């Protein structure tokens, strides 16, 4: 039959089986007979259903505070007031407390900083200046030989069949 535990400590020498739902403190913690656990709700809709604020440990890129089952190095972690995302135990993206987003860098210096190759499909609009650092060319298509580049003394616009130099 149904029973009530009084205050104190209990040790069960074997597994404790609960036939129906388990409720601790009303709706504070609720375990349904289907295995779903609710915190702050008596009707959990998933394996873990939290109604309210949940706090997780900070974690690292290798052991994220929020990670995915069977993929321990994949998830989200907190580092120095920044939010990081990792895959294969390596940090891939960071959002700083200043709102800067870095992909391939842990210290983005602008609103968006990408360290590595970037492919943009579709139209791109630059509302201000574009600066090229560490390279000297804008390539319009890898196969068309259409480039704009600076050779150290001249600006060169080169197409598949013609070339214009401004020195």
């Amino acid at each position: 039959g149904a029973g009530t535990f009084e205050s104190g400590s209990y040790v069960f020498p074997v597994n404790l089986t609960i036939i129906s739902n388990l409720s601790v403190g009303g709706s504070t913690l609720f375990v349904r007979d289907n295995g779903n656990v609710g915190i702050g709700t008596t009707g959990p809709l998933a394996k873990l259903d939290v109604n309210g604020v949940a706090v997780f440990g900070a974690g690292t890129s290798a052991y994220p505070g929020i990670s995915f089952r069977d993929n321990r190095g994949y998830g989200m972690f907190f580092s120095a007031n920044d939010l990081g995302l990792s895959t294969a135990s390596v940090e891939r993206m960071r959002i700083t407390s200043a709102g800067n987003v870095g992909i391939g860098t842990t210290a983005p210096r602008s609103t968006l900083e990408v360290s590595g190759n970037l492919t943009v499909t579709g139209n791109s609009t630059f509302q201000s200046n574009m600066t090229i650092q560490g390279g000297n060319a804008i390539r319009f298509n890898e196969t068309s030989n259409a480039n704009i580049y600076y050779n150290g003394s001249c600006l060169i616009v080169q197409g598949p069949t013609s070339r214009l130099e401004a020195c």
Side-chain angles (χ1 to χ4, degrees):
T4 302
F5 290 101
E6 301 298 325
S7 63
S9 298
Y10 296 92
V11 176
F12 298 93
V14 294
N15 292 337
L16 173 65
T17 302
I18 299 179
I19 305 297
S20 187
N21 299 324
L22 169 68
S23 178
V24 177
S27 66
T28 304
L29 174 67
F30 191 82
V31 181
R32 294 194 59 154
D33 54 1
N34 64 3
N36 290 355
V37 176
I39 300 174
T41 178
T42 57
L45 301 175
K47 289 295 176 190
L48 178 61
D49 188 344
V50 178
N51 183 10
V53 176
V55 177
F56 298 90
T60 64
S61 59
Y63 296 99
I66 299 174
S67 62
F68 302 98
R69 182 178 182 201
D70 299 331
N71 290 305
R72 188 69 181 125
Y74 292 75
M76 209 170 3
F77 62 95
F78 179 76
S79 173
N81 295 322
D82 298 344
L83 179 65
L85 300 172
S86 65
T87 62
S89 298
V90 176
E91 180 175 339
R92 306 296 182 178
M93 186 171 93
R94 179 174 291 232
I95 304 171
T96 69
S97 58
N100 292 345
V101 176
I103 299 173
T105 178
T106 59
R109 297 165 294 192
S110 57
T111 304
L112 175 63
E113 182 175 340
V114 178
S115 178
N117 296 331
L118 173 67
T119 301
V120 178
T121 303
N123 297 325
S124 298
T125 302
F126 295 91
Q127 298 291 342
S128 189
N129 297 328
M130 182 173 75
T131 303
I132 299 173
Q133 295 178 331
N136 65 351
I138 299 174
R139 302 191 190 285
F140 292 97
N141 185 324
E142 289 182 20
T143 59
S144 73
N145 292 326
N147 303 304
I148 298 174
Y149 62 95
Y150 181 70
N151 68 4
S153 60
C154 299
L155 179 64
I156 300 168
V157 179
Q158 179 176 335
T161 59
S162 62
R163 175 181 168 119
L164 172 65
E165 293 186 18
C167 300

